[in-house]
Amino acid sequence: MRKQQKKQAEELLAQMELAHEQIRKDIEQKNIAAAIGLLGDCQDAAISLGTMIEGTEGEGHPTVILLEEYCELVYGVHEDLAGGNEASANKVYKILKQKLVKVFNSVQHDIKIRLEAVFLPYKASMWDSLESVWEAADADPDCDAYVIPIPYYEKNPDGSLGTEHYEGNEYPANVPITRYDEFDFEAHRPDMIYIHNPYDSYNFVTSVHPYFYSEHLKQFTDCLVYIPYYATAGGMSEAQSLCSAYLHADYIVIQAENFRRFFDKDLPDEKFLPFGSPKFDSVIRKCQNPPEPPAVWKKKMQGRRVYFYNTSINGMLADTDAFLKKMKYVFDIFLGREDACLLWRPHPLLESTFESMRAEYKPVYDSLKRWFLEADIGILDETTDMENTIALSDVYIGDGGTSVISMFGVTGKPIFIFNNYLHTLPEKDDWRGERMNLQFNALGDNRYQIIGNDQLWFSEKNDYHYRFCLDLGTGYSAGGHYMRAMEIDGKIYVIPRSVQNMLVIEDKKIRKVEFQTVNTPGPAFISYSYLDDHKYLFLIPGRYPFLIRYHLHTGKIDYIEDVQPFYMRQVENEWKLGGYWSYDNEILFASPEDGQILSLNRETLERKKYCVSAMDGIGIQSFSRCGDEEELWLLPMKGLKIIRWNPRTGEKREYSDVPENFKVVRYPFETESDEHPFISIVFFREYGSKLALIQPNWGNMILSLDVEADEIKEWELPMGFVNRGKNGYFRTGSVGCFVITMEQLGKPDCRFWYAPERKLYDINVFTGEYKEVEIEFDYNDLLEHEPGFYEESEWLQYCLKENAFNSLKDLLDDKITGNPFDRERQLRDYAKVNANTEGTCGQNVYSYVKGKLL
């Protein structure tokens, strides 16, 4: 019997009990006609209930027999009263109650609730996210489980529903399919419904049929459960923090307890079931007992190591041109190799995403696909069962940030993460492009550098000759946790970027200064401010909500509120960062969308606000200042208007007449833009001559500004202007910057960091003379401290990342620099992001939901 029917039976019995009470009163009050009428109603109710039970439980059921006995008893009382016989009200009540209690107990104990579970997959290739829960429901003798694939649509560019897809015929043979248009949800009212699409109408690429949006489904069930169609290797994107289905689902299944923090904080904690992922159940079992490969696959796999090549939607959308070049590079590397089999599995929605969001690139993709097939480079996997393919593969290669990685992780197979900007094998010095991204100190102390894998390097003579100093102890190889290091009063302060702490180093001993922990996506901090006054170190927040003032003498920490939202704002669905600048004893913060400026006094923390109306609707990307002059130069977030502004008097002057051939090209997408044209203005003087140079951000040239004549023209960098690196190892979207210490301010001699080549030059801006300054990182130290296979980040537990020291060819040739692959270490690491390593998540989810319903 269904739960709702049993509930109806119990409610009917309760009404009959109330009728018994009234019958007693009617008999006591000699209202015999009323009592007789109620007895008839009780008999009708018993017959109706018996008929319902017989229909669900069959003839001869104990409860039906008791109801028949009850009816006979009611009939006898009815006849006695109708015949005018005297009757004891209490006795009648007692015998009716005794029989009804037996009926009620029988309903409770002899009638089992039969549950109904409905599973609504839309993509057959994503069935694995629901499969093990369905298997548990299907194996339960007290549950009817229905698999009902639902139609979905590709979205047209205007957001309307386009081509319909229905994949009901693509499921495994052991899965009985019910058509969505043959199942009456209102009549069935399933006890539980499981879905794996959280977006409803809010996905730009696809949409399930609107009938199956979560809000509508919730009308038909007591329990709507969302299970992610993906699994992750440690983190989640901000876009997944709040989706439409979360609001209507009763439960959300997550991989582990610590994944709760990636979801919107306003969602009730009791919604979350940290039980693992059903996707892992399937792949764990299949890797323990791999299936037989198709005959055409088996021939190509024979005697070869099989590399699962994953091309993801996120990787394609991030930079489509780089993504396609990467595909060609991968195909070139595998072409003709006898020891390696490339098994290419594109994301199931990759082609439809090309068509809806990157249509201009679709012919290039189609051409590469044809070449792959015609040249017989490997195996193209377009099957619906990815777990079978993983079980047949030996190594993962491809994009990061995809759920496929975690599935390789929990099965202990090596993971090699691509850098989609690397399209050539590394040459001799290409490692410089990855390691030599120097940070320069305005005080001229550049002894300390933090390189990409969170290692501190030291130049004893401050001459740019660096050797390994120490590992910063993050436990991860990805880097980016800290941005730079500087020495103040004999202590080395390591400035945070993505973490919420600061390191203080003395005698190579690291002390961690912890900050208040706040769950924030993106970089916690973006810069710092220090005046060489030995008093305060300010940490400029990115997504961290507080500006931090650290007292250098006492270690006290001040958390300053309401500054970060002033200059870090979401504008047109994109986070924008306004400028900040040290101005005497103040720090200035600028809005990225208008002309507002906030001034914060370093000592008193007193605030003042200014508004430069000329920057309204433009925003202020950065400030510049000429020496100790009062005026500040405001550079625009978008457009070409530069404002010279005096904060004391409010006077301002506009400069905007740039050369016609000045262009702004968005990096890395290479599309024209009106945003981020400039980054700063630097000023020089010599023999009465004054030169102001406007440094570009996404702009295509350095500009000189004649302050008095309002003339702006191109200024030629002596070593030539290039704002893109020679290859993917030397990635940059900018030409670089002038490196000017406090002592060099206004003087003609300075240095220029030439980003495309990772070179530093001494330069005289008036004569154009320049000379390279030698920068060296000890190569043997680099090799010795290259991580190799290692815990990459909180988001990616254990892998090898492609770089100049470990190329794709190196992987295939088994020539890895750094730690070799350690399967047991990988399995331990991935146990942190999967609460269930036994492959029983599906059973646990079903058992929990069933227990809550009964």
Side-chain angles (χ1 to χ4, degrees):
M1 178 179 284
R2 294 291 306 285
K3 179 184 176 183
Q4 188 64 28
Q5 291 174 308
K6 190 168 183 178
K7 183 180 178 182
Q8 290 172 359
E10 291 169 348
E11 290 174 350
L12 185 57
L13 290 171
Q15 291 173 0
M16 291 165 68
E17 170 63 20
L18 292 175
H20 292 175
E21 293 275 4
Q22 188 60 43
I23 289 169
R24 179 172 63 179
K25 291 179 182 178
D26 287 341
I27 294 173
E28 288 174 343
Q29 297 170 4
K30 306 300 182 181
N31 191 356
I32 303 303
I36 290 173
L38 282 173
L39 286 167
D41 291 341
C42 287
Q43 189 165 36
D44 291 342
I47 292 170
S48 174
L49 181 56
T51 302
M52 181 178 76
I53 294 172
E54 212 169 55
T56 61
E57 308 300 310
E59 293 184 11
H61 189 272
T63 310
V64 175
I65 294 172
L66 288 170
L67 282 167
E68 290 171 349
E69 293 174 0
Y70 173 82
C71 285
E72 291 174 5
L73 179 61
V74 168
Y75 179 75
V77 174
H78 180 279
E79 289 304 298
D80 283 345
L81 292 176
N85 298 327
E86 285 290 329
S88 168
N90 287 331
K91 183 177 180 181
V92 168
Y93 174 75
K94 183 177 181 179
I95 61 174
L96 290 176
K97 181 176 180 179
Q98 287 174 341
K99 185 60 70 175
L100 195 64
V101 166
K102 289 182 179 180
V103 173
F104 185 83
N105 288 338
S106 181
V107 168
Q108 288 285 301
H109 302 295
D110 296 330
I111 298 178
K112 287 186 177 182
I113 290 179
R114 186 161 193 82
L115 296 173
E116 194 167 279
V118 167
F119 297 82
L120 299 178
Y122 75 108
K123 288 286 294 180
S125 59
M126 298 174 182
W127 168 237
D128 59 350
S129 62
L130 302 177
E131 185 176 23
S132 63
V133 187
W134 167 76
E135 289 173 343
D138 190 56
D140 183 354
D142 297 322
C143 179
D144 295 318
Y146 296 87
V147 178
I148 307 176
I150 59 179
Y152 69 94
Y153 302 84
E154 296 176 25
K155 279 194 170 181
N156 297 318
D158 65 358
S160 61
L161 300 183
T163 306
E164 180 182 290
H165 297 272
Y166 173 72
E167 299 184 0
N169 299 321
E170 300 179 24
Y171 287 76
N174 68 316
V175 180
I177 299 300
T178 300
R179 276 195 61 89
Y180 66 93
D181 50 6
E182 295 176 357
F183 186 88
D184 189 333
F185 281 83
E186 191 163 5
H188 277 260
R189 300 199 62 82
D191 300 285
M192 56 186 94
I193 297 178
Y194 294 88
I195 59 175
H196 63 187
N197 184 310
Y199 305 113
D200 294 336
S201 64
Y202 299 102
N203 189 319
F204 294 121
V205 179
T206 60
S207 172
V208 299
H209 190 290
Y211 184 88
F212 300 102
Y213 288 167
S214 59
E215 184 176 16
H216 191 241
L217 289 174
K218 183 58 186 144
Q219 300 175 34
F220 304 122
T221 184
D222 291 334
C223 191
L224 180 64
V225 183
Y226 165 66
I227 302 177
Y229 62 88
Y230 58 87
T232 88
M236 284 173 50
S237 71
E238 186 178 0
Q240 295 288 345
S241 66
L242 184 61
C243 295
S244 177
Y246 305 169
L247 304 176
H248 309 294
D250 295 283
Y251 296 112
I252 300 169
V253 177
I254 56 176
Q255 287 177 216
E257 187 69 49
N258 66 347
F259 278 74
R260 167 64 183 95
R261 61 197 172 95
F262 296 117
F263 290 82
D264 190 278
K265 62 181 176 60
D266 292 328
L267 293 169
D269 289 339
E270 54 269 23
K271 271 186 186 270
F272 295 93
L273 305 182
F275 291 170
S277 171
K279 292 177 75 71
F280 294 150
D281 292 351
S282 175
V283 74
I284 288 171
R285 294 198 299 262
K286 288 180 179 177
C287 284
Q288 292 169 347
N289 186 24
E292 184 72 14
V296 66
W297 290 20
K298 190 171 184 178
K299 183 179 179 182
K300 294 182 178 182
M301 291 175 168
Q302 194 72 38
R304 298 180 176 183
R305 194 165 172 81
V306 179
Y307 294 81
F308 180 112
Y309 176 30
N310 174 40
T311 47
S312 72
I313 289 178
N314 285 340
M316 185 275 283
L317 292 177
D319 190 326
T320 309
D321 182 66
F323 174 87
L324 292 169
K325 288 177 179 175
K326 188 67 178 187
M327 282 179 56
K328 183 180 184 305
Y329 170 70
V330 172
F331 294 167
D332 279 332
I333 292 291
F334 277 89
L335 184 64
R337 287 199 70 123
E338 296 296 328
D339 60 341
C341 171
L342 181 63
L343 198 165
W344 174 31
R345 184 180 176 88
H347 188 284
L349 297 176
L350 185 62
E351 294 201 17
S352 61
T353 306
F354 263 111
E355 290 165 357
S356 63
M357 300 182 71
R358 296 290 188 272
E360 68 274 22
Y361 288 100
K362 183 64 163 47
V364 182
Y365 175 83
D366 291 339
S367 176
L368 286 168
K369 183 178 178 180
R370 281 194 303 273
W371 175 48
F372 179 87
L373 294 171
E374 292 168 1
D376 200 23
I377 294 171
I379 298 168
L380 176 61
D381 176 24
E382 296 179 313
T383 63
T384 58
D385 195 334
M386 181 172 63
E387 288 75 22
N388 282 347
T389 305
I390 293 174
L392 295 169
S393 301
D394 299 303
V395 182
Y396 172 93
I397 61 173
D399 297 330
T402 166
S403 63
V404 184
I405 293 171
S406 58
M407 300 176 76
F408 274 84
V410 299
T411 56
K413 298 189 177 190
I415 298 165
F416 184 72
I417 303 300
F418 281 165
N419 177 342
N420 275 352
Y421 291 97
L422 301 184
H423 310 138
T424 59
L425 289 172
E427 298 177 358
K428 179 181 177 181
D429 288 335
D430 278 349
W431 62 268
R432 293 176 176 269
E434 297 175 330
R435 293 293 186 265
M436 290 171 52
N437 283 294
L438 302 191
Q439 297 286 327
F440 299 98
N441 188 308
L443 302 175
D445 183 2
N446 298 309
R447 289 174 298 159
Y448 297 98
Q449 297 290 337
I450 296 174
I451 68 171
N453 40 17
D454 285 330
Q455 296 170 359
L456 183 65
W457 287 61
F458 180 60
S459 173
E460 185 175 3
K461 298 179 180 179
N462 198 25
D463 61 356
Y464 302 104
H465 287 64
Y466 295 96
R467 296 211 58 178
F468 176 82
C469 178
L470 53 82
D471 189 288
L472 294 177
T474 63
Y476 297 117
S477 65
H481 294 86
Y482 302 95
M483 68 178 81
R484 67 166 305 134
M486 57 189 298
E487 185 173 318
I488 304 174
D489 298 331
K491 299 176 183 178
I492 303 167
Y493 292 86
V494 183
I495 309 299
R497 183 177 183 275
S498 65
V499 293
Q500 297 176 21
N501 63 67
M502 180 173 66
L503 304 182
V504 182
I505 304 174
E506 291 184 90
D507 299 324
K508 289 195 174 183
K509 294 180 180 178
I510 299 176
R511 175 169 61 89
K512 186 179 290 187
V513 179
E514 296 282 3
F515 303 143
Q516 291 180 17
T517 302
V518 181
N519 187 25
T520 58
F525 298 93
I526 53 173
S527 191
Y528 73 99
S529 179
Y530 173 65
L531 286 184
D532 198 23
D533 59 0
H534 307 273
K535 292 181 69 175
Y536 306 120
L537 179 59
F538 284 82
L539 303 182
I540 311 296
R543 301 295 296 278
Y544 191 71
F546 305 112
L547 172 69
I548 285 183
R549 182 172 71 172
Y550 182 79
H551 296 244
L552 293 168
H553 291 304
T554 66
K556 179 186 176 186
I557 301 171
D558 297 320
Y559 295 93
I560 304 167
E561 295 182 292
D562 300 327
V563 174
Q564 183 261 6
F566 189 88
Y567 66 91
M568 175 70 79
R569 303 183 187 182
Q570 198 165 22
V571 182
E572 297 176 353
N573 296 318
E574 185 177 347
W575 284 100
K576 302 286 187 181
L577 171 67
Y580 46 90
W581 185 263
S582 292
Y583 183 75
D584 299 335
N585 200 39
E586 300 170 76
I587 307 177
L588 302 181
F589 301 93
S591 164
E593 59 180 337
D594 52 41
Q596 295 183 72
I597 297 172
L598 174 69
S599 167
L600 181 76
N601 187 285
R602 291 172 176 271
E603 287 285 346
T604 66
L605 302 183
E606 180 185 354
R607 307 178 192 206
K608 291 186 290 186
K609 285 187 179 181
Y610 303 91
C611 183
V612 183
S613 58
M615 303 301 279
D616 285 348
I618 294 174
I620 302 170
Q621 176 173 312
S622 58
F623 299 90
S624 291
R625 186 181 187 185
C626 180
D628 57 1
E629 293 181 1
E630 281 192 347
E631 289 92 351
L632 287 173
W633 295 75
L634 312 182
L635 286 84
M637 179 66 65
K638 63 180 180 180
L640 303 174
K641 184 193 299 184
I642 298 172
I643 299 295
R644 182 183 182 184
W645 170 65
N646 189 316
R648 310 302 182 202
T649 67
E651 292 180 86
K652 57 183 179 292
R653 184 171 175 179
E654 178 181 326
Y655 304 85
S656 59
D657 191 17
V658 303
E660 288 186 7
N661 58 340
F662 182 84
K663 303 294 181 187
V664 181
V665 178
R666 183 182 177 89
Y667 178 78
F669 305 109
E670 306 303 331
T671 56
E672 283 203 29
S673 174
D674 64 349
E675 294 190 339
H676 308 294
F678 317 116
I679 191 64
S680 68
I681 304 178
V682 289
F683 300 89
F684 305 92
R685 287 189 178 91
E686 185 178 49
Y687 307 122
S689 298
K690 183 177 181 180
L691 179 64
L693 297 180
I694 306 170
Q695 298 187 100
N697 189 354
W698 287 350
N700 65 340
M701 64 182 69
I702 299 174
L703 301 173
S704 68
L705 168 63
D706 186 322
V707 176
E708 302 306 324
D710 289 359
E711 182 182 9
I712 301 176
K713 60 184 179 181
E714 181 177 1
W715 185 83
E716 295 185 2
L717 191 64
M719 66 283 299
F721 185 99
V722 176
N723 59 2
R724 299 292 185 268
K726 66 177 182 179
N727 58 34
Y729 300 95
F730 288 82
R731 285 192 67 211
T732 182
S734 160
V735 67
C737 61
F738 288 96
V739 178
I740 303 173
T741 65
M742 299 297 289
E743 290 184 0
Q744 293 173 322
L745 278 175
K747 298 177 182 178
D749 292 307
C750 63
R751 285 177 168 164
F752 192 88
W753 172 246
Y754 195 54
E757 296 179 358
R758 307 297 196 266
K759 291 182 178 180
L760 185 66
Y761 292 95
D762 281 323
I763 182 174
N764 184 298
V765 297
F766 286 99
T767 66
E769 295 175 289
Y770 68 95
K771 180 182 178 181
E772 184 177 352
V773 178
E774 184 179 70
I775 301 174
E776 193 60 63
F777 282 72
D778 188 277
Y779 190 72
N780 290 327
D781 279 3
L782 286 167
L783 293 178
E784 182 180 348
H785 296 284
E786 178 64 23
F789 277 97
Y790 205 81
E791 290 76 12
E792 199 266 352
S793 68
E794 182 183 14
W795 289 63
L796 187 53
Q797 299 304 305
Y798 183 85
C799 68
L800 175 65
K801 295 200 76 172
E802 181 183 23
N803 59 31
F805 293 110
N806 288 300
S807 68
L808 177 58
K809 185 176 184 300
D810 292 331
L811 178 74
L812 270 58
D813 293 340
D814 198 22
K815 295 180 179 178
I816 300 302
T817 301
N819 293 310
F821 176 67
D822 184 335
R823 184 174 186 271
E824 293 305 314
R825 182 173 178 175
Q826 176 170 309
L827 288 172
R828 286 196 302 272
D829 286 335
Y830 275 88
K832 301 172 188 174
V833 297
N834 177 26
N836 186 307
T837 59
E838 305 300 319
T840 58
C841 171
Q843 179 63 62
N844 294 344
V845 169
Y846 173 71
S847 297
Y848 181 88
V849 173
K850 177 181 177 180
K852 287 293 184 180
L853 288 172
L854 296 180

